[in-house]
Amino acid sequence: MRTATIRRDTSETKVAVTVNLDGTGVYDVKTGVGFFDHMLEQLSRHGLIDLTVRCDGDLHIDAHHTVEDVALALGSAVAQALGDKRGIRRYGDALSPMDETLTRVALDISGRPWLVWRARFSQARLGDMDTEMFQHFFHSFAQTAGITLHIETLYGENNHHIAESMFKGLARALRAAVEIDPRRADAIPSTKGTL
């Protein structure tokens, strides 16, 4: 099983994240930020990644450090669980519709972190989470996971739907990319021989 546990303790947060890339989408998430928990649960369920997240953060300030540090720990856990990336499909993409919203997510587990972000929100907050933190989450996650990540909301009006379509799209793209390709299960998916 491709699993990893990452702990990240700072003066701002104490984070523990466990992932199982070969799971069934079982989750147990508690960050203290309700809307963020809901999004992480979508990532787990639709990506078939078992996910446990605990975060004790400085929410008396705001949710910034909680979201950022969970993203960093989650990305690190995914990277560690992937190991040398032998046998993975490497690439994944998804069109994620949610009612009136459609988001496109494409990613490459390349070892070259990058985020292309083409999305906007029309309100500053969703529940107890600032909407500007979504871009920051995906950027931080891509950095430590070592992935090139493109997220583009093609259209949408409801801010909840926009955010949720992003996380569901990431879930489905990541599920495809980390899957073992039975035709190349012993090979690194790169002409370089390493990722």
Side-chain angles (χ1 to χ4, degrees), residues 31 49 68 72 75 85 121-122 125 137 165 180 187 193:
T31 67
I49 297 170
E68 177 180 58
L72 293 169
K85 304 175 186 78
F121 291 92
S122 63
R125 294 178 66 80
F137 169 86
S165 69
I180 299 297

Side-chain angles (χ1 to χ4, degrees), residues 128-140:
D128 45 4
M129 187 167 171
D130 294 331
T131 52
E132 71 179 4
M133 289 308 299
F134 292 113
Q135 181 178 3
H136 193 54
F137 169 86
F138 291 114
H139 178 264
S140 299

Side-chain angles (χ1 to χ4, degrees), residues 106-149:
L107 63 86
D108 174 11
I109 303 175
S110 61
R112 296 184 308 278
W114 197 268
L115 174 66
V116 173
W117 175 261
R118 293 185 179 161
R120 285 188 306 222
F121 291 92
S122 63
Q123 63 191 64
R125 294 178 66 80
L126 283 169
D128 45 4
M129 187 167 171
D130 294 331
T131 52
E132 71 179 4
M133 289 308 299
F134 292 113
Q135 181 178 3
H136 193 54
F137 169 86
F138 291 114
H139 178 264
S140 299
F141 173 77
Q143 289 296 308
T144 55
I147 66 174
T148 299
L149 177 60

Side-chain angles (χ1 to χ4, degrees), residues 28-180:
D28 183 7
V29 177
K30 291 181 177 59
T31 67
V33 183
F35 194 86
F36 186 40
D37 289 356
H38 180 48
M39 294 301 99
L40 293 172
E41 290 164 357
Q42 300 303 319
L43 179 61
S44 170
R45 177 59 54 91
H46 296 280
L48 294 183
I49 297 170
D50 292 348
L51 179 62
T52 302
V53 178
R54 291 289 181 275
C55 182
D56 180 15
D58 55 0
L59 295 176
H60 61 285
I61 296 173
D62 65 15
H64 184 106
H65 299 137
T66 292
V67 173
E68 177 180 58
D69 288 356
V70 167
L72 293 169
L74 178 59
S76 295
V78 168
Q80 184 175 313
L82 284 168
D84 68 0
K85 304 175 186 78
R86 188 172 304 277
I88 66 170
R89 293 191 186 273
R90 178 177 165 177
Y91 296 93
D93 61 84
L95 282 172
S96 180
M98 185 160 185
D99 296 348
E100 85 300 340
T101 297
L102 183 65
T103 296
R104 175 171 46 214
V105 177
L107 63 86
D108 174 11
I109 303 175
S110 61
R112 296 184 308 278
W114 197 268
L115 174 66
V116 173
W117 175 261
R118 293 185 179 161
R120 285 188 306 222
F121 291 92
S122 63
Q123 63 191 64
R125 294 178 66 80
L126 283 169
D128 45 4
M129 187 167 171
D130 294 331
T131 52
E132 71 179 4
M133 289 308 299
F134 292 113
Q135 181 178 3
H136 193 54
F137 169 86
F138 291 114
H139 178 264
S140 299
F141 173 77
Q143 289 296 308
T144 55
I147 66 174
T148 299
L149 177 60
H150 293 245
I151 297 177
E152 180 179 19
T153 297
L154 302 174
Y155 45 83
E157 296 177 11
N158 182 287
N159 288 268
H160 186 128
H161 294 168
I162 291 169
E164 192 162 334
S165 69
M166 291 173 181
F167 277 83
K168 287 178 176 176
L170 174 61
R172 292 178 53 233
L174 192 60
R175 174 181 170 185
V178 304
E179 186 176 59
I180 299 297

